[in-house]
Amino acid sequence: MTATAHPATDATAPLLAINNIEVIYDHVILVLKGVSLAVPEGKIVALLGANGAGKTTTLKAISNLLASERGDVTKGGIEYRGERIDRLNPSELVKRGVVQVMEGRHCFQHLTIEENLMTGAFTRSASRAEIRQDLEKVYTYFPRLKVRRTSQSGYTSGGEQQMTAIGRALMAKPRMILLDEPSMGLAPQVVEEIFEIVRDLNGREGVSFLLAEQNTMVALRYADYGYILENGRVVMEGAAEQLRSNEDVKEFYLGLSSAGRKSFRDAKHYRRRKRWLA
Amino acid sequence: MSARDPEPGRRIGDTLLQVQHISLAFGGVKALTDISFDVREHEIRAIIGPNGAGKSSMLNCINGVYSPQQGEIRFSGSTFRKMDPHKAATMGIARTFQNIALFKGMSVLDNIMTGRNLKMRSNLLAQALYIGPNRQEELAHREKVEQIIDFLQIESVRKTPVGRLPYGVQKRVELGRALAAEPRLLLLDEPMAGMNIEEKQDMCRFILDVNDEFGTTIVLIEHDMGVVMDISDRVVVLDYGKKIGDGTPAEVRANQAVIDAYLGVSH
Amino acid sequence: MLYREAGQFRTSYAADQQLLPIRQDRILMAVLLAVAFVGVPLFASDYWLTALLTPFLVFALAALGLNILTGYAGQLSLGTAAFMAVGAFAAYNFQLRVPGMPILGSFVLGGLTAAVVGVAFGLPSLRIKGFYLAVATLAAQFFIPWLLVKVPWFTNNSSSGVITSQPIVILGYVFDTPGSKYLLVLAIVALMALAAKNLVRSRIGRAWMAVRDMDVAAEVIGIRIMRTKLIAFAVSSFYCGVAGALYAYAYLGSVEPDGFNLDLSFRILFMIIIGGVGSILGSFLGAAFITLLPIFLDVLLVDGALALGLNLPSGATSMVQLVVFGALIIFFLIVEPHGLARLWQIGKEKLRLWPFPY
Amino acid sequence: MQFFFEVLIGGLLAGVMYSLVALGFVLIYKASGVFNFAQGAMVFFAALTFVGVQEKTGLPFWAVLPITLAVMVLLGILTERIVLRPLVNQPQITLFMATIGLAFFIEGLAQLIWGTEVRRLDLGIQDEPIAVMMDNFDMMVSSFDVTAAVVAGVLVAVLAVFFNKTRIGRALRAVADDHQAALAVGIPLKQIWAIVWSVAGFVALVAGLLWGARNGVQFALTFVALKALPVLILGGFESILGAIVGGLIIGAAEKLAEVYLGPMVGGGIEGWFAYMLALLFLLVRPEGLFGERRIDRV
Amino acid sequence: MKTWMRILAGATALVIGAGAVAPVAAQQPNTQFIGITGYRVGPYGANGAAFFGGFIDYLNLVNERDGGVNGVKLSWEECETEYNNAKGVECYERLKTRAGTGPTAIHPMSTGITYALMEKAPTDKIPLITFGYGRTDATDGRVFPWVFPLMSNYWDAATGIVKFIGDKEGGDAKLKGKKIALLYHDSAYGKEPIPVLEAEATKLGFELKTIPVPHPGNEQQSQWLQIRQYKPDWVILWGWGVMTATALQTAQKTGYPREKMVGNWWAGSEIDTVAAGPAATGYYAASLNLAGKSYPVTKDVESIVYKKANKGSKAELVGTVLWNRGVAAAMFTVEAVRTAQAKFGKKPLTGEQVRWGIENLDLNAAKLKSLGFDTMLPPLKLSCEDHGGSGQVRFQQWDGKEWKSASDWMKGDTVLVRKMIEESAAKYATEKGIKAGCLPG
């Protein structure tokens, strides 16, 4: 990777910087083994990797949602606008403009879509009218939500729920959204729709995104920069187009070999050595 | 790339499962409307469609978890208006779930052993005493289960509680549990959701091997078009509970209704 | 390294599926059984036998029963004491009304009667789950003692509702000393614990756990949910029923329906939670803890206050006891929600590695 | 017929008393998924504290009330902080057990502080038949019960507004649905739970005062929780309206059954009748009267 | 953090295991040890606190004032049973190991625990004193040599109440055609009076309706509506715990006069009436002992135990019905020891020796007066045949502030009661293969 492509070396300090953090669950399971990354203001940064690589853990370490899952950041630090945020509680963080949209949407099932959106504004001490205005703005991004505003979110489709989740985060007037697996379980068309909105928000509102995604193909199409995690470590990073053209990424994450995409039919099994373990 | 065998006709047999005019509604909300399709012996049949199209509901109707309001299901010669899950299991229909439905508190071995449940006979007293026939039975089935464990390459985790395993391995264990029942028809609900390419390739291999080696018929729901197009013989496309396409992967890919509703232009 | 298993190979599935595949466990179990069957009766005082060990075993059996239902089959029940009552009163009536009935036969029939009643009250579990079911089992908890009080036949027209157990005679030998009663209970409990262990590692045990963990998936692989749950209710109630009979015959000697109250049910529930839900060993550890803790607290507080020269009014010690008991329960749940059995397991893991930390 | 109505009305009014206790359960269950078995102990603690403070200080009702409320809020906050927070993400049964432990703790503590004596709690409401009803219809309707019903009605109305119309209420419901997500959008979980427990403490205080005035303040107040459980099953654990309607149904059915059915089977059936009724009802509607129907998605 | 908490938890478990191994003996040597299975927590904690408070206050009095019984100091240990049978047995077994003598005599203060200990006591040779509760037919000491339902039993109470109602109506003959409702705690305890009341109803020609109240009895709307419909002339209240107060409150609510309600002695303490508030005014209850502080013994307790030695249990309880009952129970025990000492010597005695002392207890009016009890109790004389010794009850009425005597010491239908006791005891003896007879003294 060339030095100029590294966002952390930009003249201004990055919006978010993670320095060599280690995360341990339950006091025993080491999930992140020293992860460093940076998100510059106004950019979309993708965090890529397989299941269990530590993407979600990284996001939760930033938003401080780990504590309730018996996880703990044991080393390293996280800075947002130059301020250490690793000991802040999530609510403080939201007030500072960092909001996470969790994997699997996590809408409040028994609340209507509009109520869901309203909860996003919980930390703000804005006037009713101001919040109303923001609500309308969210509806302009997601016209579909306006139509279904009174439906209980539990009864809406996956795509609508994902939109609700993002819209809910927007209600907090965030500067930075941590977006976890927005494409999971959604049809290709809906995935495109969601990513278009992400790009839109980034462009028009200047919201920065750190998005964890397995769908490397789509993610790299929309992101500016990408990090690839494997087994709790960053193994590769670079500008999106660089990653996209990297042979290894192509082969392992995009399923493309130089001779075009390999058919799943032709995937080979390499029989591994049998292991002895009771 | 589309057809699997040079001569699919020789591999694929008669109709095994026939879904006829199935309609299903939940409290007035229609999930499925008049769906019909068939699955032939030894075939890999994919069901695709956008989220909420009713794919999982379709599987749930086939193995009796939901009972459709209308229509019937023919499976290997018998016709059912309402299948019940237990009967489906005895007739040789096995199933995996979209969100892993493993028994979290049990080890991999025990999870797969439950798949043999229907094949075990010992009575309660014999089980309590754990002597003679029950012991023999347990050991015999353990043997079978170990074969599956070998096949899926999960030997090293056989005594691990499934809750502690990574997602991809859990998916594999769930496949193993379904295979343990030695099913004729295997229903797979998004077996590759949330996997990376490497894991997907592994899973495809397992599915194809099962299909080849045991001759198991497979019905598969999958979002990854690459996978669907590569490994399935025929594809059903659902949208908002209606069938909008049915045919070989090539046919489906060329179907304008399918492109509009689902595949989108940019794929 | 005390607990090293290296070098112990299991080369067949049969060897791998034994009850205690690890040699150290087998030795430990043998020692434990030897102590329980030989050492204790030789050395323990009557107080220990009557007031601590016998009730401990009886409660462990009841906890085992509840653990089968709640821990393995996932059906939370608050009616344990009621099923114990059924067992006790049924055994009493079989013994009373069937001439020449062997006492062990009465225990078994008492257990079976409880099993039948258990199945009847288990029927709602097919439709309702979780706390709804738990509260529904309270129906059994309130109904059964009422019925036992209301119908004089059950108590053989005892005006007070109290039944006094008949003497325990097996093959002419009268079990009337604390030691002999203890041994009888121990033998029964040991056998039934072994049977429970076998059940949970057989087909039915896996079916229970499957239904507990994910009932839809269990149904789809061909497990009959209804049958599995009802068998769990039956087996569980059988254990509770036998425990109830032993409670009446070997422990208290006389019981009244009101004695089998909600408190007792809760007590047994505590045992499995503290001991470990879904663990045979946990049932024993929990029973030991819950039986001994209040006594220990009692002794500690009374003697402690005396030793410190405090003139604690005995009322206050009782309150303090309640407070400490409640606090300890919470403390335990926070520290180890999976119970003492898990602590034991962790201890074993540590021993395995000892003296190396990893 | 007059007697039938008398029983019916008496039952309905008694049912309201059950609802009062059930409400406390519902609040906590809704917001934190905890089946708080200590609710009965909290009712006892509230009443005992009220009477105790009154006894010690000799202050009038309106002065003692806020003091007691403050104690209950403190108890609620401490409970959340010490018991429930460390148990976040544990299975429901573990939390349930913890609340049983809590019940023991509170019962012991309450009596340690205030003693075991039975005390009288005087709210100044005479528990006598309402003269108008008595004179005109020969119907016995208790003035106390009517007052209690009015109090319960007001309480429910206040709670309904609080839950549905306020920002905190919405946050409470959000937390009830998905506390992880609530945390993610910046709802401070700990404060919210502390609020819930405080509100539950407040409800316990209301119930404690009314029940205490009815039966005297004594340990048996903890038993009123047992009367509330069938109400909960019937009404659904998550519905405030359910707690009220469930209470009315249980109260009325229980009294009618005891009066008309009881004599046939030797009486005393009230102890289990409500449970049996709830059980039978569940067989028809497993989610309770107003409970959320769970859709099993697989 | 986690690890040390685990270790701590493990250590707790260990300590608990170890702690139970060596219960430290609390008693001093060369004293007369009295084991007390008491309860001060739980639903009946208030009752227990009053009773055992009085009990211990009296024991303290004997030590402080008299230096013990003939120079033998008293020692005791209280074990909390929570009114729970199983815990009661554990306490009994624990107390049994104490001192050389064992617990001397046990007051279980719970019918359930009494039953649980009934067959253990003869083997262990420890007498059970059940003052106003327990197994009624145990009054026949030839079948139950180790059980002493002192003074009066439930059937005495029931017939006594009928007698009292008869007196109020102007003679037994006036009872004919009257309607009496029995509102009882739906438990073994509550059902005790039914057979004898039924016999009385047949004999005296009144109508009896029995109405059970399910445990705990904190809700009695339907029962009282039944009473309202039945319109009985009298209501006999056989309550325990919260049930009594609730009954009084609900009676007021349904407009039933409290002056027509008579409770038994477990439904007639300040605990019951205070909780009911003004609703209790006018309510009658049978009693085994009078309330009040005017007796010399009470004054002694106040001045010596409370003021001088500062060992009192709770000043507010002094003089209440149950506190006085506890004092009386302790006095019976002490006097039994004194009686036995006359025969066996002035030294700590065994349970067996004390049993003889109880069976030969003779507390005539003069003796009671010398002990400072005056009229608080009726005279009492036990024998092998009669382990009650009195059979008398006295009625008190709640005037809104305190219990006031409302009758003399009186006896119910003693002939009927004795007959029923002997029948029941004989049946028990046959069942158990007991050969009835007096123990050699």
Side-chain angles (χ1 to χ4, degrees), chain B:
Chain B
M1 219 161 31
S2 53
R4 331 185 16 182
D5 269 326
E7 295 167 278
R10 209 168 56 185
R11 180 174 63 96
I12 291 171
D14 295 336
T15 304
L16 175 70
L17 171 79
Q18 200 160 15
V19 174
Q20 290 168 335
H21 308 292
I22 290 286
S23 293
L24 174 75
F26 297 111
V29 182
K30 282 200 167 174
L32 295 171
T33 315
D34 194 28
I35 308 280
S36 302
F37 64 88
D38 66 352
V39 179
R40 294 199 285 191
E41 198 101 43
H42 210 160
E43 189 178 31
I44 296 184
R45 188 77 149 110
I47 302 178
I48 63 171
N51 251 44
K55 303 182 300 289
S56 293
S57 299
M58 193 61 243
L59 290 200
N60 283 331
C61 287
I62 295 175
N63 77 336
V65 175
Y66 294 163
S67 29
Q69 279 82 12
Q70 274 160 30
E72 41 184 48
I73 290 167
R74 285 175 66 82
F75 182 73
S76 79
S78 338
T79 306
F80 302 92
R81 173 60 201 287
K82 181 198 178 317
M83 185 73 106
D84 82 276
H86 181 261
K87 200 189 311 164
T90 43
M91 292 180 68
I93 303 179
R95 156 90 192 261
T96 68
F97 295 84
Q98 184 181 349
N99 307 314
I100 300 174
L102 283 173
F103 308 127
K104 288 210 175 52
M106 298 160 76
S107 67
V108 169
L109 185 64
D110 281 344
N111 261 282
I112 302 179
M113 281 292 271
T114 56
R116 308 285 306 169
N117 185 65
L118 271 177
K119 305 202 178 297
M120 298 175 81
R121 293 282 163 265
S122 298
N123 64 30
L124 203 60
L125 196 62
Q127 292 178 62
L129 300 175
Y130 209 79
I131 42 158
N134 179 58
R135 192 161 166 274
Q136 296 307 322
E137 190 181 43
E138 285 280 329
L139 290 176
H141 286 276
R142 169 88 189 258
E143 196 90 48
K144 287 269 186 197
V145 166
E146 287 289 344
Q147 284 169 10
I148 292 167
I149 289 177
D150 266 3
F151 172 72
L152 295 171
Q153 299 173 352
I154 44 178
E155 298 91 339
S156 62
V157 293
R158 60 160 81 84
K159 295 264 174 89
T160 313
V162 288
R164 290 196 205 158
L165 295 175
Y167 183 81
V169 183
Q170 291 197 20
K171 280 266 177 198
R172 231 186 268 182
V173 176
E174 203 186 5
L175 178 65
R177 186 179 65 192
L179 289 178
E182 299 174 26
R184 288 182 69 189
L185 176 64
L186 184 57
L187 311 174
L188 302 175
D189 196 347
E190 301 202 19
M192 280 159 261
M195 286 186 173
N196 63 20
I197 298 279
E198 202 184 347
E199 289 170 324
K200 280 182 184 174
Q201 286 171 344
D202 277 356
M203 188 52 91
C204 282
R205 200 63 251 160
F206 290 133
I207 293 171
L208 291 169
D209 283 352
V210 168
N211 183 253
D212 285 343
E213 287 177 27
F214 310 128
T216 311
T217 310
I218 290 167
V219 174
L220 166 83
I221 295 177
E222 185 49 54
H223 270 307
D224 187 318
M225 281 310 111
V227 171
V228 170
M229 297 302 160
D230 288 351
I231 70 168
S232 54
D233 294 300
R234 287 190 299 157
V235 182
V236 178
V237 190
L238 300 184
D239 187 29
Y240 287 107
K242 296 198 179 80
K243 187 168 100 170
I244 58 168
D246 191 351
T248 63
E251 285 164 6
V252 167
R253 196 149 38 176
N255 183 329
Q256 190 56 45
V258 176
I259 293 171
D260 290 347
Y262 184 52
L263 297 179
V265 272
S266 57
H267 194 78

Side-chain angles (χ1 to χ4, degrees), chain A residues 16-25 30-39 45-67 69 71-73 75 77-79 85-86 93 98-103 176-181 210-213 227-235:
Chain A
L16 179 81
I18 299 180
N19 301 314
N20 199 27
I21 56 164
E22 202 176 89
V23 171
I24 296 184
Y25 277 100
L30 184 64
V31 179
L32 293 189
K33 305 162 185 168
V35 168
S36 299
L37 54 84
V39 182
V45 174
L47 196 53
L48 306 165
N51 244 298
K55 302 188 300 292
T56 298
T57 304
T58 309
L59 294 196
K60 287 190 171 168
I62 300 168
S63 60
N64 246 321
L65 291 177
L66 282 179
E69 292 175 358
D72 202 7
V73 180
K75 268 185 201 152
I78 302 168
E79 286 178 10
I85 54 167
D86 22 341
L93 219 51
V98 183
V99 185
Q100 178 167 9
V101 177
M102 290 164 77
E103 178 182 354
M176 150 122 244
I177 294 183
L178 310 168
L179 191 52
D180 199 356
E181 299 276 351
L210 176 60
L211 66 97
E213 191 45 83
Y227 291 87
I228 295 180
L229 277 184
E230 254 176 37
N231 275 324
R233 280 182 229 278
V234 175
V235 292

Side-chain angles (χ1 to χ4, degrees), chain C residues 47-67:
Chain C
Y47 168 69
W48 266 83
L49 291 169
T50 347
L52 301 181
L53 293 172
T54 306
F56 152 67
L57 287 169
V58 171
F59 285 133
L61 189 61
L64 204 55
L66 181 62
N67 222 336

Side-chain angles (χ1 to χ4, degrees), chain D residues 127-129 134 140, chain E residues 228 249-258:
Chain D
D127 196 359
E128 274 166 352
M134 206 64 178
M140 195 291 298
Chain E
R228 185 167 135 71
Q249 294 258 49
T250 321
Q252 182 192 35
K253 181 186 287 187
T254 45
Y256 191 85
R258 264 69 63 200

Side-chain angles (χ1 to χ4, degrees), chain D residues 142-162:
Chain D
S142 152
S143 55
F144 183 92
D145 286 1
V146 172
T147 318
V150 171
V151 171
V154 172
L155 190 65
V156 169
V158 168
L159 287 176
V161 170
F162 174 66

Side-chain angles (χ1 to χ4, degrees), chain A residues 65 68-70 90-91 94 99-100 102 106 108-111 115 118 122-123 155 168, chain D residues 88-90 167 170-171 173-174 177-178 180-188 292 295:
Chain A
L65 291 177
S68 59
E69 292 175 358
R70 299 188 159 220
S91 154
V94 172
V99 185
Q100 178 167 9
M102 290 164 77
H106 284 268
F108 304 121
Q109 301 219 352
H110 298 112
L111 272 63
E115 282 177 326
M118 294 291 281
F122 185 85
T123 50
Y155 293 101
R168 188 173 64 188
Chain D
V88 161
N89 284 350
Q90 293 297 341
R167 171 168 153 271
R170 191 163 52 229
R173 286 189 295 142
D177 259 9
D178 190 328
Q180 276 275 318
L183 209 53
V185 299
I187 296 174
E292 293 285 343
I295 303 166

